[in-house]
Amino acid sequence: MTSRTRWEPAVTVLAKPYAAEMEVSVDRLVYVRDDEYTVARMSADGLPGFVASGRALAGVQPGETLRLTGEWDDHPRHGHRLVVGRCERVVPSTVRAISLYLGSGLIRGIGPRLAHAIVSHFGASTLTVIDTEPGRLRDVVNIGAVRQEQIVQAWAEQKEIAALMVVLQGFGISPLLATKIYQVYGAAAREVLTGDPYQLIGQVRSIAFHTADRIALRSGVPENSPRRIRAAVLDRLEAAAARDGHCFVPLPVLLAQAAALVEQDREPVERAVDGLAAERRVVVEASPAGQGQSVVYSKERHGREVALAANLARLCGARSTLPHRPYAEDQTLHPDQRAAVNLALTSTVSVLTGGPGCGKSHTVKVIAATVRAMGGSVTLTAPTGKAAKRLSELTGLPAMTLHRMLAHRTDPDDGTLFQESPARADLVVVDEASMLDLQMATRLAAAIPSGGHLLLVGDGDQLPSIGPGSVLADLLGVPEVPRVRLTHVFRQAQDSGIVRAAHRIRAGEPPELPGGGGFWFEELDDPALVADRVIHLATEAIPRKQNIGADQVQVLCPMRKGETGTAELGRRLQERLNPAREGDAEHWSGASVFRVGDRVMPIRNNYDKGVFNGESATVTAVDPLERRLEIRTDEGRTVEYAFGETDELTHAYAISVHRSQGSEYPFVVAPVVAEAGGVMLRRSLLYTLVTRAKAWVVLVGDREALELAVHRAGHPRNTGLTARLALALRT
């Protein structure tokens, strides 16, 4: 029996009017939300194109054939659509569906033209031929041995991923994870899922304890399994590092958190910690700060912290190899600046801090010029490409990223001032040192030879690093480490409303409102209205008033989630500035869609590609045939990402304040609201946000939220570097 309501002529009637069950092909994705709610355009034999929506569609890709169960619905905004309650992936069986599947880009190496040629040759038997007689593919024009092998391999991968999706759905887990799991484990993925799902934690991005634990428990792993409890302990250690930047967790806290996670008594958790310590996967020791309690490190973070303290002590205790030739002091410098110059020339390790407008960059320029005049070599470096570029512009000298310096590149044509490893210069200057995490600082200190000078330059009131540790703050906590803090704000900076607001925030005082001189605050208390206003300012009001492109305006957000978070504001900004265009290729990865022209940034260091967390780039190509996209970094390098690697990229239309560190933007717009309790709002975040702007910063939101941020100090990170370094320097 069939129903022909409106334009769905071939619909099987189920329990009530408008219910439907049908086999369809996915034409394109329209919208994917973070909670996996998906909207897609569908088509089927005998049906015009229509819209389907629902969480059951999570992970579907253009070209797939689906069996959908749902109900037709008239939405006031989205019109007539099928609300899907159940979605089952099926092998396409009709010539049309097979042609759409092969030409969609799901099978690497086959585009629409080749798909048409293959299906024209083999008809409805096409997939059977690929599966059982792949040699016959070479009967088709333009398919040789290499292309045949490519097609067969891609077809096998797609079948395995589809099977993984079924397994995951059986465990109540998002099918979106299937591709990520397959990329890590390949053909062994299903065996890992059913054999030891706790392996997935830390190996597959987006899989933490809760996901692996659900699979394990449904596979029959006992709730009191030692393997399960050990996984919980390691998960709490990694969560503390990833979420809060801690290097260690106090033992009583870790025991309580892990016990709560697995709903077990404390005793089996204590045994789990003892076992992990015996296997040297964790280190349990007395608190480095002498607080009378034991703390727990992961093996890797403990080793790095110990090595960093040892290498810093080595550098501090070494005799300087800097050429000691007479130099004339620059009398135009402020006395604090002259003190900083002297300190950098006489101390093998020193720290230079200060707020905006206090002349840190000019001081670095004088230090570098003085060392070169004395016959020494200098390396200027910073954690990100943008920070290095800005350092170079402000000093007039070449600068590079820390990653590049530590890669030991010595090409004489790359702008360096010497032929040997740049880390072996007489003076290494690291700007934006507040961004140094434990891992990078450990590599840095190990690379500098004894006798070389290391100058760390930064603002200790900014946010700490994204990664674990608080290296700059830890060094400032050791009295024996030489330092100079610049406090004098120069006259030209005193006229900046941004500088005035920043110094008030740093002092724990609310900025003057509504502001002026480049700092503005617009008061709105409804998050939805705040989001609308931020979008309008970033895409219309500021570009029109300043006669600039919208790419000169950066939206920064304290949070990721909510109406004013990076995810939702970024989606809306992308749709406004770079919407989908008929005929243009795009690629969906989870809830993100990548198009040519998108502003993106890597969120993970990838040494093979030579790209690093926090760099800025633009998507320059999306190639469905080869299943890859191409980005061009702001440093001018072209980098390829396979579609399966795009979770290493995030859109940069709206970014977190943390990810903006080391960068400056002509114009900044930011929401300041107390969504979710304003948990991220704190003084260091607001201070960092305001100081990212060069010309204007416009804050939109709730005055109470602004004052909350000003008065709320951040939580210190659990690290042992201060105590370890102080002990090493005193012995």
Side-chain angles (χ1 to χ4, degrees):
M1 180 177 178
T2 60
S3 169
R4 294 180 178 268
T5 303
R6 291 196 181 180
W7 37 256
E8 64 280 2
V11 178
T12 302
V13 174
L14 297 180
K16 60 181 181 179
Y18 309 121
E21 182 177 281
M22 65 184 74
E23 192 169 297
V24 304
S25 294
V26 183
D27 291 338
R28 66 181 180 90
L29 298 179
V30 177
Y31 173 62
V32 181
R33 212 163 55 195
D34 268 0
D35 64 359
E36 300 182 356
Y37 176 84
T38 301
V39 180
R41 292 286 303 181
M42 306 288 186
S43 62
D45 291 332
L47 277 176
F50 65 94
V51 172
S53 64
R55 289 189 179 87
L57 295 174
V60 302
Q61 293 291 317
E64 287 187 312
T65 299
L66 311 173
R67 183 173 292 116
L68 303 180
T69 303
E71 295 183 354
W72 293 103
D73 172 63
D74 286 297
H75 191 276
R77 282 185 58 192
H78 305 297
H80 203 55
R81 62 178 182 169
L82 181 70
V83 179
V84 179
R86 182 181 177 188
C87 169
E88 178 186 356
R89 288 169 173 81
V90 297
V91 177
S93 56
T94 67
V95 169
R96 173 186 173 278
I98 294 171
S99 184
L100 285 172
Y101 176 77
L102 291 180
S104 67
L106 278 172
I107 306 299
R108 183 171 178 265
I110 302 181
R113 289 184 180 179
L114 187 55
H116 178 74
I118 294 172
V119 175
S120 295
H121 193 86
F122 297 113
S125 302
T126 296
L127 298 182
T128 301
V129 169
I130 296 174
D131 215 18
T132 62
E133 301 176 275
R136 292 178 60 192
L137 287 171
R138 296 173 68 178
D139 296 340
V140 180
V141 176
N142 294 328
I143 296 183
V146 174
R147 180 62 61 87
Q148 173 202 322
E149 180 59 30
Q150 189 180 47
I151 291 171
V152 170
Q153 181 179 348
W155 167 246
E157 289 177 358
Q158 285 302 314
K159 288 202 305 179
E160 189 63 33
I161 290 171
L164 276 176
M165 287 182 171
V166 173
V167 174
L168 288 171
Q169 286 176 316
F171 289 125
I173 304 298
S174 167
L176 290 174
L177 295 173
T179 300
K180 298 178 183 179
I181 295 172
Y182 184 82
Q183 286 170 346
V184 175
Y185 295 104
R190 275 190 282 177
E191 181 181 346
V192 171
L193 270 179
T194 56
D196 185 9
Y198 295 113
Q199 286 186 44
L200 302 170
I201 303 172
Q203 298 298 314
V204 180
R205 186 171 173 81
S206 304
I207 294 186
F209 179 82
H210 285 294
T211 300
D213 194 46
R214 181 184 297 180
I215 298 171
L217 291 177
R218 293 193 179 188
S219 299
V221 173
E223 291 186 356
N224 62 351
S225 164
R227 181 177 53 173
R228 178 177 184 244
I229 298 173
R230 287 188 180 197
V233 170
L234 294 174
D235 177 80
R236 291 301 84 195
L237 272 180
E238 294 309 310
R243 184 186 63 243
D244 299 316
H246 294 317
C247 293
F248 66 75
V249 178
L251 178 59
V253 174
L254 181 63
L255 294 174
Q257 290 180 345
L261 188 62
V262 294
E263 297 181 333
Q264 298 292 311
D265 294 334
R266 177 169 168 150
E267 184 178 344
V269 181
E270 290 177 337
R271 288 197 299 270
V273 173
D274 291 341
L276 290 168
E279 296 171 8
R280 298 185 179 180
R281 298 179 67 184
V282 304
V283 175
V284 182
E285 66 179 20
S287 171
Q291 296 171 338
Q293 62 179 352
S294 294
V295 300
V296 185
Y297 286 83
S298 72
K299 176 185 175 182
E300 292 76 14
R301 282 188 288 276
H302 183 268
R304 287 170 184 156
E305 193 174 271
V306 170
L308 176 56
N311 275 307
L312 287 172
R314 169 182 61 83
L315 293 174
C316 287
R319 177 176 295 181
S320 171
T321 57
L322 186 69
H324 288 287
R325 297 180 184 174
Y327 66 93
E329 288 193 352
D330 187 341
Q331 296 303 314
T332 65
L333 296 178
H334 185 273
D336 289 348
Q337 293 177 301
R338 290 201 296 273
V341 174
N342 282 312
L343 191 67
L345 298 177
T346 56
S347 299
T348 49
V349 175
S350 57
V351 181
L352 172 61
T353 66
C358 292
K360 292 194 301 295
S361 297
H362 182 67
T363 305
V364 169
K365 179 178 181 179
V366 173
I367 292 170
T370 302
V371 171
R372 294 177 67 192
M374 295 167 60
S377 57
V378 180
T379 295
L380 299 183
T381 184
T384 66
K386 275 195 171 182
K389 182 179 180 181
R390 186 161 61 91
L391 178 62
S392 181
E393 292 170 348
L394 291 170
T395 62
L397 298 170
M400 66 179 70
T401 64
L402 268 171
H403 302 282
R404 184 179 173 205
M405 183 189 78
L406 295 172
H408 290 190
R409 296 183 182 176
T410 56
D411 182 353
D413 297 323
D414 69 359
T416 56
L417 302 176
F418 38 81
Q419 300 298 315
E420 61 181 5
S421 166
R424 302 186 69 84
D426 294 301
L427 171 66
V428 174
V429 180
V430 181
D431 197 17
E432 298 289 353
S434 63
M435 298 177 66
L436 280 176
D437 63 12
L438 178 62
Q439 180 182 21
M440 184 54 61
T442 302
R443 293 182 61 205
L444 167 68
I448 298 176
S450 298
H453 286 227
L454 172 63
L455 172 62
L456 301 179
V457 182
D459 188 339
D461 294 303
Q462 288 190 21
L463 285 170
S465 57
I466 294 177
S470 54
V471 175
L472 181 62
D474 287 349
L475 264 64
L476 291 172
V478 181
E480 291 84 357
V481 174
R483 85 285 307 275
V484 169
R485 177 168 183 149
L486 304 180
T487 58
H488 175 72
V489 180
F490 288 90
R491 180 170 298 177
Q492 61 269 32
Q494 293 174 359
D495 296 332
S496 166
I498 295 173
V499 172
R500 292 197 303 270
H503 281 281
R504 287 182 64 89
I505 292 168
R506 187 174 67 171
E509 300 174 1
E512 297 174 352
L513 302 180
F519 173 85
W520 302 95
F521 178 77
E522 291 192 14
E523 188 167 6
L524 288 172
D525 58 6
D526 183 339
L529 295 178
V530 170
D532 290 344
R533 183 58 176 163
V534 167
I535 297 290
H536 176 72
L537 285 166
T539 61
E540 297 182 39
I542 293 177
R544 183 174 61 246
K545 183 176 181 63
Q546 297 296 315
N547 193 27
I548 59 169
D551 61 344
Q552 298 294 299
V553 185
Q554 180 63 58
V555 173
L556 302 180
C557 303
M559 297 177 291
R560 183 182 182 277
K561 296 183 178 180
E563 291 180 284
T564 60
T566 57
E568 182 61 15
L569 281 179
R571 182 191 66 79
R572 293 180 60 184
L573 286 164
Q574 182 190 32
E575 287 305 305
R576 182 74 63 90
L577 299 172
N578 194 26
R581 294 176 176 85
E582 191 69 32
D584 286 358
E586 60 181 31
H587 169 65
W588 284 87
S589 175
S592 300
V593 58
F594 293 92
R595 304 178 181 123
V596 172
D598 278 339
R599 294 292 293 166
V600 296
M601 61 171 47
I603 57 175
R604 186 183 306 171
N605 295 334
N606 189 317
Y607 294 92
D608 293 333
K609 297 181 185 296
V611 294
F612 303 101
N613 192 344
E615 289 190 84
S616 295
T618 302
V619 177
T620 53
V622 177
D623 187 346
L625 179 61
E626 295 299 325
R627 295 190 61 75
R628 65 174 182 83
L629 59 80
E630 181 182 275
I631 67 171
R632 186 171 180 82
T633 70
D634 285 353
E635 292 184 314
R637 289 177 295 105
T638 298
V639 184
E640 291 185 0
Y641 281 83
F643 280 176
E645 299 175 311
T646 51
D647 64 345
E648 294 187 13
L649 298 172
T650 188
H651 288 90
Y653 293 102
I655 63 176
S656 69
V657 180
H658 244 130
R659 295 202 182 280
S660 74
Q661 284 181 275
S663 300
E664 274 192 346
Y665 311 94
F667 301 90
V668 168
V669 182
V672 181
V673 297
E675 279 190 287
V679 65
M680 296 301 295
L681 291 175
R682 55 190 186 276
R683 188 182 305 153
S684 58
L685 182 142
L686 183 63
Y687 176 75
T688 304
L689 188 165
V690 169
T691 55
R692 296 310 88 202
K694 290 193 288 188
W696 277 19
V697 58
V698 183
L699 307 181
V700 184
D702 181 357
R703 187 183 296 252
E704 291 184 3
L706 181 68
E707 293 183 354
L708 172 67
V710 170
H711 295 303
R712 178 189 283 168
H715 297 293
R717 293 183 168 186
N718 294 337
T719 73
L721 180 60
T722 295
R724 293 186 200 280
L725 180 56
L727 179 62
L729 292 176
R730 293 166 189 165
T731 56

Coordinates of all heavy atoms in Angstrom, one line a residue, residues 82 138 154 200 214 258 294 357 409 476 498 509 536 608:
L82 N 11.6 14.6 6.0 CA 11.4 13.3 6.7 C 12.2 13.3 8.0 O 13.5 13.5 7.9 CB 12.0 12.1 5.8 CG 11.8 10.7 6.3 CD1 10.3 10.3 6.4 CD2 12.6 9.7 5.5
R138 N 40.1 -3.5 -15.4 CA 41.0 -3.0 -16.4 C 40.4 -3.1 -17.8 O 41.0 -2.6 -18.8 CB 42.3 -3.8 -16.3 CG 43.0 -3.5 -14.9 CD 44.2 -4.4 -14.7 NE 45.3 -4.0 -15.6 CZ 46.5 -4.6 -15.6 NH1 46.7 -5.6 -14.7 NH2 47.4 -4.3 -16.5
A154 N 40.5 0.9 -1.6 CA 39.5 1.9 -1.1 C 38.2 1.2 -0.8 O 37.5 1.5 0.2 CB 39.4 3.1 -2.0
L200 N 41.8 2.0 23.0 CA 41.4 3.1 22.2 C 41.7 4.5 22.9 O 41.9 5.5 22.2 CB 39.9 3.1 21.9 CG 39.4 1.8 21.2 CD1 37.9 1.8 21.2 CD2 40.0 1.8 19.8
R214 N 32.0 2.0 27.9 CA 30.7 1.5 27.5 C 30.9 0.3 26.6 O 30.1 -0.7 26.7 CB 30.0 2.6 26.7 CG 28.6 2.1 26.2 CD 27.9 3.2 25.4 NE 27.7 4.4 26.1 CZ 27.1 5.5 25.6 NH1 26.7 5.5 24.3 NH2 26.9 6.6 26.3
A258 N 39.1 8.5 40.3 CA 39.1 7.2 39.6 C 38.0 6.3 40.2 O 37.3 5.6 39.5 CB 40.4 6.5 39.6
S294 N 51.6 12.6 48.8 CA 52.1 12.0 47.6 C 51.3 12.5 46.4 O 50.2 12.9 46.4 CB 52.0 10.5 47.6 OG 52.8 9.9 48.6
G357 N 52.7 47.9 26.0 CA 53.1 49.3 25.9 C 54.3 49.6 26.8 O 54.7 50.7 27.0
R409 N 67.1 23.1 11.3 CA 67.3 23.5 9.9 C 68.4 24.5 9.7 O 68.4 25.5 10.4 CB 65.9 24.1 9.3 CG 64.8 23.1 9.3 CD 63.6 23.6 8.7 NE 62.5 22.6 8.8 CZ 61.2 22.9 8.4 NH1 60.9 24.1 7.9 NH2 60.3 22.0 8.5
L476 N 59.4 32.2 37.2 CA 59.3 33.4 38.0 C 59.2 33.1 39.5 O 59.4 34.0 40.3 CB 58.2 34.3 37.5 CG 58.3 34.9 36.1 CD1 57.0 35.5 35.6 CD2 59.5 35.9 36.1
I498 N 43.0 50.3 24.6 CA 43.3 48.9 24.8 C 44.3 48.7 25.9 O 44.2 47.9 26.8 CB 43.8 48.2 23.5 CG1 42.7 48.2 22.4 CG2 44.3 46.8 23.7 CD1 43.1 47.8 21.0
E509 N 41.0 45.6 38.3 CA 40.0 46.6 38.3 C 39.3 46.6 37.0 O 39.9 46.4 35.9 CB 40.7 48.0 38.4 CG 41.5 48.2 39.7 CD 42.3 49.5 39.6 OE1 42.2 50.2 38.7 OE2 43.0 49.7 40.6
H536 N 27.1 40.5 13.5 CA 26.9 41.8 12.7 C 28.1 42.6 12.8 O 28.5 43.2 11.7 CB 25.7 42.5 13.3 CG 25.4 43.9 12.7 ND1 24.9 44.0 11.4 CD2 25.7 45.1 13.1 CE1 24.9 45.3 11.1 NE2 25.3 46.0 12.1
D608 N 55.6 15.6 10.6 CA 55.7 15.1 9.2 C 55.3 16.2 8.2 O 55.9 16.3 7.1 CB 54.9 13.8 9.0 CG 55.5 12.7 9.8 OD1 56.7 12.7 10.1 OD2 54.7 11.8 10.2

